[in-house]
Amino acid sequence: MTVNGTLATAEPGGAVSLAEQAYQLLKDRLIMLEIRPGEPINDGQLAQDLGVGRTPVREALKRLETDHLVVSYPRRGTFATVVDITELAAISEIRELLEPLAARRAAENASAQLRTEIRQKAEEISGLDAGTSDQTELMRLDLSVHKLIYRACGNAHLEDVLVRYDNLATRIWCLVLDRLPPVVSHISEHTSLLEAIADGDAEKASHLALEHVSGFEKAVRSVL
């Protein structure tokens, strides 16, 4: 939780730790390229910006290095990882195999509560205004949709892998966002996918997930 752009103090008995809050905030900034690729990361400055000590920030940076979002060099410091467009094919290859699997498993395994949440997300997306101009917020919405599907698949290992690769794919998307058509149509594709998952239609969900990932790669390549 944040207050005026800084982290709120953790409350006793179940509040998210400051390290976790720092991790989530920094991850969002790195994925959305608010921290630019290759930019040096000053843990002291970040701690000051977030209103915490250096220890939570350092713990967060260790996790972000595992996520391939930052990289540390001895005697040089920590930097946001470079977004390498040449990795697009490799990332897409993995996602084209695993995203349909996650969608299929979500259709088969999602609990009643998650199916309700999935239908609500589908309604939210179907109500998007075609003129929505905040591309960054739309990309955050895209991430939230994917995370919901991964959570519903019922396989924590598959979820962990896909979250990591979806984050990397989103950084590539954000790198060319100003050259792409408005992404609202890309986000709107999720409506049918989410409805198929909520309905338990595993075949349709798998097919739509593959189309979505393939479309992502084609859209990026069209502006390179």
Side-chain angles (χ1 to χ4, degrees):
M1 168 179 189
T2 62
V3 178
N4 296 328
T6 61
L7 297 179
T9 303
E11 299 175 0
V16 176
S17 71
L18 290 177
E20 176 65 23
Q21 292 180 61
Y23 169 73
Q24 295 297 341
L25 275 175
L26 293 174
K27 181 171 68 171
D28 180 78
R29 292 184 185 183
L30 288 158
I31 292 171
M32 295 300 152
L33 306 188
E34 291 172 8
I35 299 176
R36 300 299 299 174
E39 185 176 321
I41 294 175
N42 183 313
D43 58 0
Q45 185 61 53
L46 279 175
Q48 184 177 336
D49 291 346
L50 300 178
V52 298
R54 287 192 177 192
T55 299
V57 171
R58 287 172 177 169
E59 290 177 12
L61 289 173
K62 286 178 183 177
R63 290 179 64 187
L64 291 164
E65 188 162 15
T66 302
D67 294 338
H68 306 294
L69 294 174
V70 304
V71 59
S72 296
Y73 300 103
R75 297 179 297 278
R76 287 184 55 200
T78 302
F79 300 80
T81 53
V82 172
V83 179
D84 188 350
I85 292 292
T86 64
E87 293 182 352
L88 175 62
I91 291 171
S92 295
E93 182 177 30
I94 293 168
R95 295 182 71 224
E96 284 173 0
L97 289 171
L98 296 185
E99 292 274 359
L101 174 61
R104 175 183 294 276
R105 291 290 180 260
E108 295 169 343
N109 299 330
S111 65
Q113 181 179 341
L114 274 170
R115 289 183 197 276
T116 298
E117 196 174 332
I118 288 166
R119 289 192 191 282
Q120 290 171 344
K121 184 66 75 172
E123 289 176 10
E124 177 187 352
I125 291 170
S126 67
L128 283 175
D129 185 342
T132 302
S133 59
D134 193 332
Q135 302 287 76
T136 301
E137 284 307 310
L138 285 171
M139 293 312 301
R140 288 191 173 99
L141 178 59
D142 184 72
L143 281 169
S144 75
V145 171
H146 286 224
K147 286 179 182 176
L148 177 58
I149 294 170
Y150 306 154
R151 182 156 53 91
C153 79
N155 183 327
H157 298 288
L158 180 58
E159 179 182 0
D160 181 64
V161 169
L162 277 172
V163 165
R164 188 168 299 175
Y165 281 99
D166 189 40
N167 290 342
L168 297 176
T170 301
R171 291 186 87 214
I172 292 175
W173 190 276
C174 287
L175 191 67
V176 297
L177 198 56
D178 60 343
R179 287 180 269 164
L180 289 166
V183 295
V184 65
S185 60
H186 172 80
I187 310 300
S188 296
E189 291 175 6
H190 288 305
T191 303
S192 298
L193 171 58
L194 290 169
E195 288 173 347
I197 291 171
D199 291 341
D201 191 336
E203 281 298 324
K204 184 176 181 181
S206 176
H207 174 72
L208 290 173
L210 177 58
E211 278 192 343
H212 183 72
V213 175
S214 300
F216 158 79
E217 182 177 10
K218 288 174 183 175
V220 172
R221 290 195 182 282
S222 72
V223 297
L224 294 180

